[in-house]
């Protein structure tokens, strides 16, 4: 039986289903399995499996309170919505393997986790009874992946706030064109920060939260990280190499954390290359040992415009030797001073497994153009950041797999700026004439609460 604990050490161990429904631990920490299984002696057998077969093998080690047949169906259903038979195929482009994680319904890698999480919520609610009302705030990508993860599911409603007129028209349509009765799009007369404030304040009202079964799908949910470990194994096997490196365009540290956990479980990974845009708190951390806040700047890779990475605490917990007390001390430093510091090792870095760098807007646009000119392959701006940072660290001995986190057609303007012409995708082209549903709402907590009560 796999149990889950909190990074802050103040929670009695719980099972997988409870961990999925809990999200954040009551002590403010993040959930992690009590111990990680060592899968080294299974890699050979696993390397012959299809994506969904492999997903079952990996996830079943952690979801021990779900019967095998049920879990298999959950996984099969989750990846049947992908429009590529391999789910997460790799293609060779220049010196790199590009791992395409954008074949899900919203054309971004978040679908890999959120299609699974949506089905998982639905399964658990069916078993246990009860309802879930998901409330979220989005500036774009996460909202649409979350909506597509739970659309049409019984016992679940989803309310996603976006800042009216401030989300890209395409991203807005990806959300508002979902007409299922359980999906509510709220265009808030304010900024993304206003949306987030409304969300935090509403969740902070514990009576309201429990009284209305409010939940969230944010990136700290353990099931999201878990679902993402699968493609590290899968893509490494596809290369046939003994060891690989991964380059990961990073924002909230959820994606690269999954790679770290795969490595800890025994997947031979030589280096994890952490790539950020101008919002570089994480690349600064791995190079200096100091994790220090800075202001968020807007870039052409908006899903990485993050300064406080919500999954970073999970890595830090391992870094301090799984010592909850030490971890709490560091998190308090960060809360009080806006920065925390860890010791560098004898090689002068935080962790020999990680290298880190950043790519700015000019370099990102240049990389998109260069790959199109040289290889006829169009990278989206997030993926391009990963590729350009990987170029700096490329080592000859082992293949480097660059995670492609979104389809370039989602980021039309950046692609036009880089190459002079747009890229198309039939899913997005079809949105042009799609019917939409969205309710405008005041930038006001009570207005949103009233809306929730009226629609639950
Ligand atoms: C969310 C996202 C990222 C960043 O992933 P994290 O898990 O937050 O580090 C990168 N690229 C795209 C396209 C994303 O949507």
């Amino acid at each position: 039986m796999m149990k889950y604990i909190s990074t802050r050490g103040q929670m009695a161990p719980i099972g997988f289903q409870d961990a999925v429904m809990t999200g954040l631990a009551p002590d403010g920490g993040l959930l992690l399995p009590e111990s990680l299984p060592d899968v080294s002696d299974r890699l050979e057998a696993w390397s012959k499996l299809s994506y969904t077969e492999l997903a079952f093998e990996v996830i079943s080690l952690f979801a021990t309170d779900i019967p095998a047949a049920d879990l298999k169906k959950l996984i099969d259903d989750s990846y049947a919505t992908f429009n590529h038979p391999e789910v997460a195929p790799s293609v060779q482009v220049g010196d790199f393997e590009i791992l395409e994680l954008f074949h899900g319904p919203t054309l971004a890698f978040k679908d890999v986790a959120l299609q699974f999480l949506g089905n998982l919520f639905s399964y658990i609610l069916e078993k246990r009874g009860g309802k879930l009302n998901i409330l979220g705030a989005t500036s774009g990508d996460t909202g649409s992946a979350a909506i597509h993860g739970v659309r049409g599911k019984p016992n679940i409603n989803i309310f996603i706030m976006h800042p009216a007129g401030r989300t890209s028209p395409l991203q807005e349509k990806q959300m508002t064109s979902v007409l299922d009765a359980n999906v509510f799009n709220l265009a808030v007369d304010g900024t993304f920060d206003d949306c987030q404030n409304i969300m935090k304040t509403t969740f902070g009202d514990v009576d309201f939260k429990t009284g209305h079964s409010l939940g969230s799908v944010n990136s700290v949910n353990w099931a999201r990280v878990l679902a993402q470990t699968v493609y590290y194994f899968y893509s490494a096997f596809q290369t046939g190499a003994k060891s690989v490196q991964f380059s990961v365009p990073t924002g909230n540290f959820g994606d690269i954390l999954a790679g770290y956990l795969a490595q800890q479980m025994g997947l031979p990974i030589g280096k994890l290359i952490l790539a950020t845009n101008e919002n570089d708190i994480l690349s600064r951390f791995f190079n200096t040992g100091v994790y220090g806040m800075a202001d968020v700047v807007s870039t052409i890779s908006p899903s990485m415009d993050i300064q406080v990475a919500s999954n970073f605490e999970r890595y830090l917990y391992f870094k301090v030797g799984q010592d909850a007390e030490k971890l709490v001390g560091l998190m308090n430093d960060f809360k009080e001073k806006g920065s925390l510091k860890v010791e560098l090792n004898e090689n002068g870095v935080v962790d020999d497994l990680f290298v880190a760098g950043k790519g700015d807007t000019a370099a990102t646009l240049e990389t998109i153009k260069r790959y199109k000119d040289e290889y006829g392959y169009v990278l989206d701006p997030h993926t391009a950041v990963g590729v350009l940072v990987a170029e700096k660290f490329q080592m000859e001995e082992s293949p480097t797999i660059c995670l492609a986190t979104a389809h370039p057609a989602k980021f039309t303007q950046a692609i036009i700026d880089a190459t002079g012409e747009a890229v198309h995708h039939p899913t997005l082209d079809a949105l042009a004439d799609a019917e939409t549903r969205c309710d405008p709402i005041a930038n006001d907590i009570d207005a949103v609460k009233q809306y929730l009560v009226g629609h639950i």
Side-chain angles (χ1 to χ4, degrees):
M1 190 70 167
M2 178 71 83
K3 292 280 187 188
Y4 292 84
I5 53 160
S6 165
T7 49
R8 302 204 183 174
Q10 301 297 311
M11 183 190 82
I14 59 176
F16 176 74
Q17 293 188 39
D18 285 328
V20 172
M21 298 313 284
T22 302
L24 201 68
D27 61 5
L30 304 193
L31 303 185
L32 276 171
E34 234 168 9
S35 64
L36 288 172
D38 178 357
V39 301
S40 319
D41 58 353
R42 305 178 201 210
L43 297 177
E44 172 67 27
W46 281 7
S47 69
K48 301 181 177 71
L49 302 179
S50 71
Y51 189 90
T52 48
E53 288 167 343
L54 179 63
F56 173 78
E57 293 299 326
V58 175
I59 294 173
S60 64
L61 297 173
F62 295 90
T64 50
D65 58 5
I66 298 184
D70 293 357
L71 184 62
K72 195 149 195 353
K73 182 169 183 326
L74 278 173
I75 290 169
D76 288 346
D77 289 349
S78 300
Y79 299 111
T81 57
F82 280 57
N83 63 20
H84 194 287
E86 262 196 88
V87 181
S90 295
V91 292
Q92 170 122 36
V93 179
D95 293 334
F96 298 123
E97 296 292 328
I98 303 286
L99 170 55
E100 295 184 341
L101 299 172
F102 52 68
H103 293 286
T106 73
L107 314 183
F109 96 99
K110 293 195 170 62
D111 289 327
V112 176
L114 285 167
Q115 287 290 305
F116 177 62
L117 184 63
N119 285 319
L120 200 51
F121 276 151
S122 180
Y123 172 84
I124 297 172
L125 290 169
E126 218 166 280
K127 293 261 148 170
R128 298 184 167 183
K131 291 206 180 295
L132 179 63
N133 294 299
I134 295 167
L135 176 65
T138 192
S139 54
D141 266 355
T142 311
S144 67
I147 286 171
H148 282 79
V150 301
R151 62 184 298 180
K153 300 223 181 295
N155 307 323
I156 301 180
N157 291 310
I158 184 162
F159 299 86
I160 296 289
M161 296 178 276
H162 68 265
R166 293 173 196 245
T167 304
S168 91
L170 197 62
Q171 290 188 321
E172 190 178 316
K173 272 236 158 142
Q174 281 193 295
M175 298 191 280
T176 58
S177 62
V178 180
L179 301 178
D180 299 77
N182 69 331
V183 173
F184 302 92
N185 279 288
L186 299 176
V188 174
D189 183 15
T191 63
F192 174 58
D193 282 341
D194 293 329
C195 297
Q196 266 194 318
N197 278 334
I198 293 175
M199 183 176 83
K200 282 188 191 147
T201 313
T202 310
F203 276 110
D205 180 347
V206 177
D207 289 340
F208 187 86
K209 176 176 181 259
T210 46
H212 295 92
S213 309
L214 288 196
S216 87
V217 287
N218 60 24
S219 74
V220 302
N221 194 295
W222 167 249
R224 286 184 63 175
V225 177
L226 176 58
Q228 291 169 4
T229 59
V230 176
Y231 50 71
Y232 284 90
F233 288 98
Y234 184 76
S235 61
F237 296 151
Q238 301 308 302
T239 68
K242 283 201 179 66
S243 170
V244 294
Q245 312 177 81
F246 284 96
S247 174
V248 189
T250 296
N252 262 323
F253 204 79
D255 200 0
I256 199 164
L257 175 78
Y260 175 75
L261 295 176
Q263 191 270 347
Q264 294 288 303
M265 289 162 67
L267 182 66
I269 297 177
K271 287 274 184 258
L272 287 168
I273 302 166
L274 183 148
T276 64
N277 62 25
E278 286 92 332
N279 298 288
D280 63 347
I281 183 170
L282 286 166
S283 55
R284 280 185 282 123
F285 170 75
F286 280 100
N287 287 313
T288 67
V290 177
Y291 184 72
M293 280 256 266
D295 288 334
V296 179
V297 297
S298 292
T299 73
I300 56 169
S301 45
S303 298
M304 293 152 64
D305 292 348
I306 284 158
Q307 283 289 4
V308 180
S310 52
N311 267 292
F312 179 65
E313 180 168 335
R314 284 189 167 113
Y315 169 76
L316 206 53
Y317 178 74
F318 285 101
K319 175 70 194 159
V320 298
Q322 308 185 36
D323 182 333
E325 221 172 295
K326 267 194 197 153
L327 187 272
V328 169
L330 286 174
M331 293 316 291
N332 284 341
D333 284 349
F334 185 68
K335 200 170 159 191
E336 283 157 22
K337 296 182 263 175
S339 81
L340 65 83
K341 188 173 187 313
V342 301
E343 294 300 316
L344 299 180
N345 69 15
E346 64 279 11
N347 300 322
V349 294
V350 168
D351 189 326
D352 292 327
L353 180 62
F354 284 83
V355 289
K358 77 169 168 176
D360 63 19
T361 302
T364 306
L365 292 171
E366 186 277 328
T367 304
I368 295 170
K369 175 162 170 46
R370 190 157 45 85
Y371 273 71
K372 185 178 181 204
D373 291 348
E374 285 182 24
Y375 309 110
Y377 190 92
V378 182
L379 303 163
D380 101 282
H382 305 78
T383 307
V385 171
V387 166
L388 82 91
V389 172
E391 286 177 335
K392 297 182 197 163
F393 292 110
Q394 206 186 355
M395 282 146 240
E396 298 290 324
E397 318 86 67
S398 60
T400 297
I401 300 169
C402 293
L403 274 57
T405 51
H407 192 283
K410 291 194 81 166
F411 299 96
T412 316
Q413 195 53 52
I415 301 301
I416 293 175
D417 290 348
T419 69
E421 63 182 327
V423 171
H424 287 272
H425 189 287
T427 303
L428 299 179
D429 291 343
L431 292 177
D433 322 306
E435 192 185 330
T436 60
R437 186 160 59 79
C438 178
D439 288 322
I441 196 156
N443 177 10
D444 177 62
I445 291 152
D446 289 326
V448 172
K449 278 185 171 169
Q450 225 170 1
Y451 184 98
L452 291 174
V453 173
H455 290 84
I456 281 171

PDB file of all heavy atoms in Angstrom, residues 276-294:
ATOM      1  N   THR A 276      14.522  28.348 -18.554  1.00  0.00           N
ATOM      2  CA  THR A 276      13.502  29.358 -18.241  1.00  0.00           C
ATOM      3  C   THR A 276      13.584  30.502 -19.250  1.00  0.00           C
ATOM      4  O   THR A 276      14.590  30.649 -19.955  1.00  0.00           O
ATOM      5  CB  THR A 276      13.691  29.980 -16.839  1.00  0.00           C
ATOM      6  OG1 THR A 276      14.936  30.683 -16.808  1.00  0.00           O
ATOM      7  CG2 THR A 276      13.676  28.930 -15.748  1.00  0.00           C
ATOM      8  N   ASN A 277      12.530  31.304 -19.299  1.00  0.00           N
ATOM      9  CA  ASN A 277      12.593  32.559 -20.048  1.00  0.00           C
ATOM     10  C   ASN A 277      13.154  33.637 -19.109  1.00  0.00           C
ATOM     11  O   ASN A 277      13.858  33.316 -18.152  1.00  0.00           O
ATOM     12  CB  ASN A 277      11.218  32.888 -20.673  1.00  0.00           C
ATOM     13  CG  ASN A 277      10.117  33.098 -19.619  1.00  0.00           C
ATOM     14  OD1 ASN A 277      10.389  33.452 -18.478  1.00  0.00           O
ATOM     15  ND2 ASN A 277       8.886  32.877 -20.034  1.00  0.00           N
ATOM     16  N   GLU A 278      12.822  34.887 -19.345  1.00  0.00           N
ATOM     17  CA  GLU A 278      13.364  35.972 -18.510  1.00  0.00           C
ATOM     18  C   GLU A 278      12.954  35.829 -17.040  1.00  0.00           C
ATOM     19  O   GLU A 278      13.598  36.390 -16.157  1.00  0.00           O
ATOM     20  CB  GLU A 278      12.902  37.346 -19.032  1.00  0.00           C
ATOM     21  CG  GLU A 278      13.590  37.798 -20.318  1.00  0.00           C
ATOM     22  CD  GLU A 278      12.826  37.387 -21.581  1.00  0.00           C
ATOM     23  OE1 GLU A 278      12.095  36.358 -21.559  1.00  0.00           O
ATOM     24  OE2 GLU A 278      12.970  38.085 -22.602  1.00  0.00           O
ATOM     25  N   ASN A 279      11.898  35.090 -16.784  1.00  0.00           N
ATOM     26  CA  ASN A 279      11.484  34.824 -15.405  1.00  0.00           C
ATOM     27  C   ASN A 279      12.315  33.630 -14.913  1.00  0.00           C
ATOM     28  O   ASN A 279      11.928  32.476 -15.057  1.00  0.00           O
ATOM     29  CB  ASN A 279       9.983  34.526 -15.371  1.00  0.00           C
ATOM     30  CG  ASN A 279       9.186  35.723 -15.855  1.00  0.00           C
ATOM     31  OD1 ASN A 279       9.094  36.727 -15.164  1.00  0.00           O
ATOM     32  ND2 ASN A 279       8.648  35.643 -17.065  1.00  0.00           N
ATOM     33  N   ASP A 280      13.477  33.957 -14.333  1.00  0.00           N
ATOM     34  CA  ASP A 280      14.536  32.951 -14.221  1.00  0.00           C
ATOM     35  C   ASP A 280      14.863  32.534 -12.797  1.00  0.00           C
ATOM     36  O   ASP A 280      15.973  32.089 -12.515  1.00  0.00           O
ATOM     37  CB  ASP A 280      15.803  33.471 -14.919  1.00  0.00           C
ATOM     38  CG  ASP A 280      16.340  34.729 -14.250  1.00  0.00           C
ATOM     39  OD1 ASP A 280      15.607  35.324 -13.417  1.00  0.00           O
ATOM     40  OD2 ASP A 280      17.474  35.116 -14.546  1.00  0.00           O
ATOM     41  N   ILE A 281      13.895  32.655 -11.890  1.00  0.00           N
ATOM     42  CA  ILE A 281      14.179  32.311 -10.487  1.00  0.00           C
ATOM     43  C   ILE A 281      14.784  30.908 -10.385  1.00  0.00           C
ATOM     44  O   ILE A 281      15.723  30.679  -9.614  1.00  0.00           O
ATOM     45  CB  ILE A 281      12.922  32.444  -9.600  1.00  0.00           C
ATOM     46  CG1 ILE A 281      13.240  32.146  -8.129  1.00  0.00           C
ATOM     47  CG2 ILE A 281      11.774  31.549 -10.068  1.00  0.00           C
ATOM     48  CD1 ILE A 281      12.107  32.486  -7.147  1.00  0.00           C
ATOM     49  N   LEU A 282      14.303  29.965 -11.179  1.00  0.00           N
ATOM     50  CA  LEU A 282      14.772  28.581 -11.055  1.00  0.00           C
ATOM     51  C   LEU A 282      16.148  28.385 -11.676  1.00  0.00           C
ATOM     52  O   LEU A 282      16.986  27.660 -11.124  1.00  0.00           O
ATOM     53  CB  LEU A 282      13.761  27.624 -11.676  1.00  0.00           C
ATOM     54  CG  LEU A 282      12.493  27.428 -10.840  1.00  0.00           C
ATOM     55  CD1 LEU A 282      11.402  26.759 -11.666  1.00  0.00           C
ATOM     56  CD2 LEU A 282      12.781  26.607  -9.589  1.00  0.00           C
ATOM     57  N   SER A 283      16.419  29.036 -12.803  1.00  0.00           N
ATOM     58  CA  SER A 283      17.764  28.843 -13.363  1.00  0.00           C
ATOM     59  C   SER A 283      18.790  29.542 -12.473  1.00  0.00           C
ATOM     60  O   SER A 283      19.898  29.036 -12.275  1.00  0.00           O
ATOM     61  CB  SER A 283      17.862  29.268 -14.832  1.00  0.00           C
ATOM     62  OG  SER A 283      17.456  30.572 -15.028  1.00  0.00           O
ATOM     63  N   ARG A 284      18.410  30.672 -11.872  1.00  0.00           N
ATOM     64  CA  ARG A 284      19.333  31.306 -10.914  1.00  0.00           C
ATOM     65  C   ARG A 284      19.585  30.375  -9.730  1.00  0.00           C
ATOM     66  O   ARG A 284      20.711  30.228  -9.276  1.00  0.00           O
ATOM     67  CB  ARG A 284      18.751  32.640 -10.413  1.00  0.00           C
ATOM     68  CG  ARG A 284      18.962  33.789 -11.406  1.00  0.00           C
ATOM     69  CD  ARG A 284      18.477  35.111 -10.813  1.00  0.00           C
ATOM     70  NE  ARG A 284      17.029  35.254 -10.855  1.00  0.00           N
ATOM     71  CZ  ARG A 284      16.250  35.464  -9.788  1.00  0.00           C
ATOM     72  NH1 ARG A 284      16.773  35.565  -8.578  1.00  0.00           N
ATOM     73  NH2 ARG A 284      14.947  35.589  -9.924  1.00  0.00           N
ATOM     74  N   PHE A 285      18.522  29.723  -9.255  1.00  0.00           N
ATOM     75  CA  PHE A 285      18.684  28.834  -8.103  1.00  0.00           C
ATOM     76  C   PHE A 285      19.695  27.725  -8.394  1.00  0.00           C
ATOM     77  O   PHE A 285      20.613  27.481  -7.606  1.00  0.00           O
ATOM     78  CB  PHE A 285      17.347  28.216  -7.694  1.00  0.00           C
ATOM     79  CG  PHE A 285      17.509  27.121  -6.671  1.00  0.00           C
ATOM     80  CD1 PHE A 285      17.797  27.428  -5.349  1.00  0.00           C
ATOM     81  CD2 PHE A 285      17.408  25.786  -7.032  1.00  0.00           C
ATOM     82  CE1 PHE A 285      17.978  26.417  -4.403  1.00  0.00           C
ATOM     83  CE2 PHE A 285      17.591  24.766  -6.089  1.00  0.00           C
ATOM     84  CZ  PHE A 285      17.880  25.091  -4.776  1.00  0.00           C
ATOM     85  N   PHE A 286      19.534  27.039  -9.520  1.00  0.00           N
ATOM     86  CA  PHE A 286      20.422  25.898  -9.768  1.00  0.00           C
ATOM     87  C   PHE A 286      21.859  26.335 -10.050  1.00  0.00           C
ATOM     88  O   PHE A 286      22.786  25.551  -9.882  1.00  0.00           O
ATOM     89  CB  PHE A 286      19.858  25.006 -10.874  1.00  0.00           C
ATOM     90  CG  PHE A 286      18.775  24.094 -10.362  1.00  0.00           C
ATOM     91  CD1 PHE A 286      17.439  24.399 -10.549  1.00  0.00           C
ATOM     92  CD2 PHE A 286      19.098  22.962  -9.629  1.00  0.00           C
ATOM     93  CE1 PHE A 286      16.440  23.577 -10.035  1.00  0.00           C
ATOM     94  CE2 PHE A 286      18.110  22.131  -9.105  1.00  0.00           C
ATOM     95  CZ  PHE A 286      16.777  22.442  -9.313  1.00  0.00           C
ATOM     96  N   ASN A 287      22.042  27.586 -10.433  1.00  0.00           N
ATOM     97  CA  ASN A 287      23.400  28.070 -10.673  1.00  0.00           C
ATOM     98  C   ASN A 287      24.053  28.698  -9.447  1.00  0.00           C
ATOM     99  O   ASN A 287      25.278  28.724  -9.343  1.00  0.00           O
ATOM    100  CB  ASN A 287      23.411  29.062 -11.838  1.00  0.00           C
ATOM    101  CG  ASN A 287      23.211  28.346 -13.176  1.00  0.00           C
ATOM    102  OD1 ASN A 287      23.858  27.336 -13.441  1.00  0.00           O
ATOM    103  ND2 ASN A 287      22.307  28.834 -14.001  1.00  0.00           N
ATOM    104  N   THR A 288      23.238  29.204  -8.500  1.00  0.00           N
ATOM    105  CA  THR A 288      23.823  29.938  -7.364  1.00  0.00           C
ATOM    106  C   THR A 288      23.433  29.392  -5.998  1.00  0.00           C
ATOM    107  O   THR A 288      24.043  29.768  -4.991  1.00  0.00           O
ATOM    108  CB  THR A 288      23.368  31.420  -7.392  1.00  0.00           C
ATOM    109  OG1 THR A 288      21.953  31.464  -7.133  1.00  0.00           O
ATOM    110  CG2 THR A 288      23.673  32.076  -8.727  1.00  0.00           C
ATOM    111  N   GLY A 289      22.383  28.584  -5.928  1.00  0.00           N
ATOM    112  CA  GLY A 289      21.906  28.100  -4.626  1.00  0.00           C
ATOM    113  C   GLY A 289      20.951  29.066  -3.949  1.00  0.00           C
ATOM    114  O   GLY A 289      20.412  28.769  -2.888  1.00  0.00           O
ATOM    115  N   VAL A 290      20.713  30.237  -4.573  1.00  0.00           N
ATOM    116  CA  VAL A 290      19.793  31.217  -3.983  1.00  0.00           C
ATOM    117  C   VAL A 290      18.487  31.223  -4.770  1.00  0.00           C
ATOM    118  O   VAL A 290      18.491  31.381  -5.986  1.00  0.00           O
ATOM    119  CB  VAL A 290      20.399  32.639  -3.985  1.00  0.00           C
ATOM    120  CG1 VAL A 290      19.386  33.651  -3.439  1.00  0.00           C
ATOM    121  CG2 VAL A 290      21.682  32.666  -3.179  1.00  0.00           C
ATOM    122  N   TYR A 291      17.393  31.025  -4.039  1.00  0.00           N
ATOM    123  CA  TYR A 291      16.057  31.056  -4.648  1.00  0.00           C
ATOM    124  C   TYR A 291      15.426  32.369  -4.203  1.00  0.00           C
ATOM    125  O   TYR A 291      14.999  32.507  -3.058  1.00  0.00           O
ATOM    126  CB  TYR A 291      15.270  29.853  -4.142  1.00  0.00           C
ATOM    127  CG  TYR A 291      13.894  29.644  -4.729  1.00  0.00           C
ATOM    128  CD1 TYR A 291      13.723  29.198  -6.030  1.00  0.00           C
ATOM    129  CD2 TYR A 291      12.757  29.875  -3.952  1.00  0.00           C
ATOM    130  CE1 TYR A 291      12.456  28.975  -6.547  1.00  0.00           C
ATOM    131  CE2 TYR A 291      11.480  29.649  -4.461  1.00  0.00           C
ATOM    132  CZ  TYR A 291      11.348  29.200  -5.768  1.00  0.00           C
ATOM    133  OH  TYR A 291      10.086  28.984  -6.278  1.00  0.00           O
ATOM    134  N   GLY A 292      15.468  33.358  -5.084  1.00  0.00           N
ATOM    135  CA  GLY A 292      15.038  34.707  -4.681  1.00  0.00           C
ATOM    136  C   GLY A 292      14.011  35.288  -5.628  1.00  0.00           C
ATOM    137  O   GLY A 292      14.185  35.272  -6.844  1.00  0.00           O
ATOM    138  N   MET A 293      12.968  35.829  -5.030  1.00  0.00           N
ATOM    139  CA  MET A 293      11.847  36.420  -5.786  1.00  0.00           C
ATOM    140  C   MET A 293      12.280  37.585  -6.660  1.00  0.00           C
ATOM    141  O   MET A 293      13.177  38.339  -6.309  1.00  0.00           O
ATOM    142  CB  MET A 293      10.842  36.993  -4.793  1.00  0.00           C
ATOM    143  CG  MET A 293       9.953  35.977  -4.195  1.00  0.00           C
ATOM    144  SD  MET A 293       8.374  36.103  -4.971  1.00  0.00           S
ATOM    145  CE  MET A 293       7.577  37.201  -3.813  1.00  0.00           C
ATOM    146  N   ALA A 294      11.596  37.741  -7.781  1.00  0.00           N
ATOM    147  CA  ALA A 294      11.735  38.942  -8.599  1.00  0.00           C
ATOM    148  C   ALA A 294      10.367  39.198  -9.217  1.00  0.00           C
ATOM    149  O   ALA A 294       9.469  38.364  -9.100  1.00  0.00           O
ATOM    150  CB  ALA A 294      12.789  38.725  -9.683  1.00  0.00           C
TER     151      ALA A 294
END
